[in-house]
Amino acid sequence: MKNPKVSVKVDTNEFIWDKNEGLFTFDGAPALLFWDSAIELFIKTIEEVLGSDVSITVLEATGFRIGHLVSNYYQDRFDIREVIEQYKDIYRNTNKVKDFL
């Protein structure tokens, strides 16, 4: 039987697709994979349904909650310099990263 887990490493980061469980993980945490256009469509739908003012509030609250979730994930694992160094090849806005380091 073939390995039910497909793993790809990008430097120190690991993406795993577990075919048996139907689970995609990013550095050990369950994750979702989206097309850019799907996220764009989702945000446009929120704006269309809720209107401009309410959608801004929803997106701001969502951004805050996502930031809180991500910071909790990394809080006891790495310091901020380690996180930036670890992800600089995945998230290519390296000018800001270089300025910070």
Side-chain angles (χ1 to χ4, degrees), residues 30-82:
L32 296 174
L33 187 61
F34 285 102
W35 289 301
D36 287 351
S37 57
I39 296 297
E40 183 179 346
L41 180 65
F42 179 68
I43 291 171
K44 285 182 180 181
T45 302
I46 289 172
E47 291 173 347
E48 183 179 310
V49 171
L50 298 177
S52 181
D53 292 341
V54 174
S55 65
I56 289 170
T57 302
V58 168
L59 294 173
E60 285 175 352
T62 301
F64 173 82
R65 290 176 179 169
I66 289 172
H68 184 71
L69 176 72
V70 170
S71 67
N72 283 340
Y73 177 81
Y74 289 104
Q75 186 173 8
D76 296 326
R77 296 174 189 224
F78 308 101
D79 69 25
I80 188 66
R81 290 180 187 275
E82 290 172 315

Side-chain angles (χ1 to χ4, degrees), residues 9-28:
K9 284 195 80 140
V10 178
D11 294 329
T12 60
N13 308 111
E14 186 171 37
F15 301 87
I16 297 175
W17 171 247
D18 184 331
K19 294 183 261 183
N20 288 343
E21 298 293 322
L23 181 63
F24 177 71
T25 60
F26 175 64
D27 287 344

